[in-house]
Amino acid sequence: MGKLLANLTRTQIATILLVLAATGAGLYYFVRWRHENDFRPLYTELAAEDAGAIVERLKQSAVEYRLSADGRTVLVPSARVAELRLSLAGEGLPRNGKIGFELFDRTNFGATEFAEQINYRRALEGELARSVASLAAVAEARVHVTFPKDSVFQEARQPAKASVMVKLRSGAHLTQQNVQAISQLVASAVEGLSPQAVAVLDMQGNLLGRPRRAELEGGEPPSEAMLEFRQAIERDLAAKVATTLEPLLGPERFRTSAAVECDFTSGEQSEENFDPSRSVMLTSQKTEESASAVASAGVPGTASNLPNPTSQTVITPGGVRRQTESITYQSSRTVRRVRIPQGAIKRISLAVLVDYERKTTPQGTAVEPPSAEKLKTIRALVTAAAGLNPERGDQLILESLPFESVPPPDAGTPATPQPNLPQALPPWLEQLRKQGPLVWGAAGGAALLVLIVMFFLFRKIRRRSRVEVSGPGELPPAAEAEIPAAQPAKIETAAARTSLPPVAPRKTEMLATQIKEAIRSDSKSSVHVLRTWLDEEAD
């Protein structure tokens, strides 16, 4: 080992030590990287309270952990992720930063009724926030609820209200259906709360959606909703007309515009009609009463009251009889209740502009207006497709005008070359353009690195080619002066070792000429090559 080290130069020893140090550092950082790469997320997107409680619990268990830069992600060794999650779940962690109904797990006998109500509202808000935050597009959520206030006076009653603030994940978006689902979720969990009384907004203060049938105090929908409703009807009418006329006229040969006037007033109408000619018996009541009594008559005195009276008693019949009948008649009655819907169409106005027809003649291409029969057919089709009603005041304006002032060139005339329009970029290039200067900087750095590598490779190949071309031959006077005078024999020996193989005389002469020209053009490099040969011969 000592003999080996003695044969090494200082440069070689320094190179070996440097390689050993670099290898040791590389192994150390590789082992450390493997160890750090083994950490897996235990929980992500944690609130500050939950992150602190989890870190404290990990410290007590002597578990190695890592925290992300924002402190919201806790990482632990991958082999203990499942075990730690079960252990922390048994302790009720994480709580997502919100207190739910676990607030009532411990009974507080000294709490007043007001404190109980406040705790109940806190627990309900926490549970609702957890439910909203469990959505895929929501990172965090806050819920505020106002319970209804009852009173014996109608004016003093206040309905329940709620507001929901959501923080969306990066790149996530809530659709109108998602916002309505959040409103329905909150309204169903709070007694007396309607979905129209729930406001949903993001952390930037943007209102994410309004109720589908929101109404103002006067019973009219907001102006924005009316405008959207009217525009939707107009787009539908224009689409119907375009679908009808496109097979007849062709694409881009007509223009359609629609204007709709809607009635957004609403109410109820009740109507009650009586028909005297169609009266019917409603009730009939008949009562009959009779009472009768027997009266005796005869000669007054004792003789008539003896057992065997001399005169017969005369019986006189008597009584009362009464009969009552009551019949009630009522005329025919018709009751009609009509509810006037909102958004009824009052009037429709349509405008259709038709392009001129192009015809090819011996003199060239000419444009002509459509015929009257064709315009009549178009009017009938548009009227039927849009459902126009003249009695309602609907109108249709149909005109024909040339869309291009200059007719196109004839088939025999060469067309004028069109200017080069900007072409759409490929998807991958469009994606790179959207990435910003970072990607372009990285691409430029990579291109610069490739250029540097190519430069060094070219330089190395050039040097090698110079060494291969260089050989024995005549040196310029300046080169001969630089060669030591004590080494003529070595020069001859080196020249003999590097002598060229026997070739044809013509080829030998050409090769010698090329070697001479190379030595004349770069004398210093030739001297360096020659010295290298001499040093190899000395060794």
Side-chain angles (χ1 to χ4, degrees):
M1 187 68 179
K3 185 178 180 180
L4 180 62
L5 293 177
N7 294 332
L8 297 177
T9 62
R10 293 182 178 179
T11 304
Q12 294 174 341
I13 294 175
T15 303
I16 292 174
L17 293 177
L18 183 61
V19 170
L20 290 176
T23 304
L27 290 176
Y28 170 76
Y29 282 107
F30 176 74
V31 173
R32 185 175 179 84
W33 174 79
R34 286 293 303 271
H35 179 67
E36 293 294 334
N37 195 39
D38 188 56
F39 281 80
R40 294 292 181 268
L42 180 63
Y43 291 107
T44 59
E45 301 294 336
L46 289 172
E49 298 84 356
D50 292 336
I54 291 175
V55 168
E56 185 65 25
R57 182 66 180 84
L58 293 177
K59 287 181 179 179
Q60 294 176 3
S61 302
V63 177
E64 190 176 3
Y65 65 91
R66 298 288 186 273
L67 283 176
S68 61
D70 57 358
R72 303 181 62 183
T73 302
V74 180
L75 299 97
V76 295
S78 59
R80 304 197 60 184
V81 171
E83 175 189 354
L84 292 174
R85 283 181 180 174
L86 293 176
S87 177
L88 294 174
E91 298 180 8
L93 292 174
R95 300 186 179 92
N96 294 328
K98 306 297 180 183
I99 300 177
F101 283 111
E102 65 270 9
L103 186 64
F104 297 98
D105 290 344
R106 292 176 296 179
T107 305
N108 187 2
F109 294 101
T112 61
E113 183 180 359
F114 177 75
E116 290 291 340
Q117 292 180 356
I118 295 298
N119 290 336
Y120 174 72
R121 182 161 66 179
R122 289 176 58 196
L124 182 59
E125 291 176 351
E127 293 292 339
L128 288 174
R130 291 177 182 177
S131 300
V132 175
S134 62
L135 297 177
V138 179
E140 294 182 10
R142 290 178 60 86
V143 180
H144 303 280
V145 177
T146 300
F147 291 131
K149 181 180 179 182
D150 296 332
S151 177
V152 295
F153 301 102
Q154 184 70 23
E155 296 79 5
R157 295 180 181 177
Q158 295 182 2
K161 293 173 289 184
S163 60
V164 181
M165 296 185 65
V166 294
K167 181 179 181 181
L168 303 180
R169 300 185 186 276
S170 178
H173 174 69
L174 287 179
T175 62
Q176 187 66 24
Q177 185 177 2
N178 299 139
V179 175
Q180 294 174 4
I182 293 175
S183 301
Q184 292 287 346
L185 171 66
V186 176
S188 301
V190 180
E191 183 180 0
L193 179 61
S194 62
Q196 287 78 9
V198 179
V200 183
L201 62 158
D202 58 9
M203 293 300 177
Q204 285 73 33
N206 301 319
L207 188 63
L208 298 181
R210 65 173 182 276
R212 288 177 296 176
R213 301 181 62 87
E215 295 185 356
L216 303 178
E217 294 181 358
E220 297 181 358
S223 57
E224 185 177 357
M226 293 189 296
L227 182 60
E228 291 181 359
F229 179 77
R230 189 179 66 183
Q231 290 177 349
I233 297 178
E234 293 173 353
R235 288 193 298 267
D236 182 66
L237 287 176
K240 288 181 178 179
V241 174
T243 305
T244 305
L245 296 182
E246 188 169 349
L248 177 63
L249 301 178
E252 301 298 330
R253 299 297 304 276
F254 61 93
R255 298 291 184 270
T256 306
S257 180
V260 179
E261 184 179 352
C262 299
D263 185 9
F264 291 98
T265 60
S266 63
E268 293 185 359
Q269 181 180 0
S270 299
E271 183 180 355
E272 187 173 358
N273 298 323
F274 292 92
D275 188 2
S277 61
R278 298 176 59 185
S279 60
V280 295
M281 183 178 63
L282 187 63
T283 59
S284 175
Q285 185 178 4
K286 186 175 182 180
T287 305
E288 183 176 353
E289 296 180 1
S290 60
S292 60
V294 180
S296 58
V299 179
T302 304
S304 60
N305 293 320
L306 290 176
N308 295 313
T310 57
S311 60
Q312 298 293 331
T313 303
V314 179
I315 299 176
T316 304
V320 178
R321 184 179 181 184
R322 183 174 60 184
Q323 183 177 359
T324 304
E325 185 176 0
S326 176
I327 301 176
T328 303
Y329 293 89
Q330 185 175 2
S331 301
S332 177
R333 183 181 63 170
T334 303
V335 179
R336 181 181 301 171
R337 291 183 176 86
V338 179
R339 182 179 179 182
I340 303 175
Q342 293 180 339
I345 297 177
K346 296 175 61 177
R347 189 179 297 105
I348 298 177
S349 298
L350 279 177
V352 180
L353 183 62
V354 182
D355 189 13
Y356 274 21
E357 297 179 352
R358 293 178 175 81
K359 294 184 178 180
T360 303
T361 61
Q363 294 78 15
T365 303
V367 292
E368 296 180 358
S371 61
E373 293 78 7
K374 190 171 186 178
L375 291 178
K376 183 178 179 181
T377 303
I378 294 174
R379 180 180 294 274
L381 290 175
V382 172
T383 302
L388 300 181
N389 185 6
E391 297 179 357
R392 188 173 54 186
D394 298 346
Q395 61 177 350
L396 171 62
I397 305 299
L398 180 62
E399 295 291 342
S400 61
L401 289 174
F403 287 0
E404 297 181 3
S405 58
V406 180
D410 297 339
T413 306
T416 304
Q418 298 294 331
N420 293 329
L421 299 177
Q423 299 285 338
L425 296 176
W428 63 272
L429 190 56
E430 185 70 20
Q431 196 70 14
L432 285 179
R433 187 181 66 83
K434 293 181 180 179
Q435 293 293 332
L438 181 61
V439 173
W440 293 109
L448 181 61
L449 181 60
V450 171
L451 290 177
I452 293 174
V453 172
M454 291 178 64
F455 172 75
F456 281 106
L457 289 176
F458 177 75
R459 188 174 180 183
K460 186 175 180 180
I461 294 172
R462 185 178 179 185
R463 286 182 179 178
R464 184 177 299 175
S465 63
R466 286 180 179 178
V467 172
E468 291 176 356
V469 171
S470 300
E474 297 180 3
L475 297 178
E480 294 178 355
E482 294 179 2
I483 299 176
Q487 297 180 347
K490 295 182 178 181
I491 293 176
E492 295 177 0
T493 305
R497 290 178 57 189
T498 58
S499 60
L500 297 173
V503 294
R506 187 176 179 182
K507 293 184 178 180
T508 304
E509 293 174 1
M510 293 175 60
L511 184 59
T513 303
Q514 293 178 358
I515 293 174
K516 289 178 181 181
E517 291 177 358
I519 293 174
R520 289 192 185 96
S521 62
D522 194 355
S523 59
K524 293 184 179 181
S525 299
S526 302
V527 172
H528 178 70
V529 172
L530 190 56
R531 284 180 178 175
T532 303
W533 292 343
L534 294 176
D535 292 339
E536 292 177 355
E537 182 67 23
D539 294 338

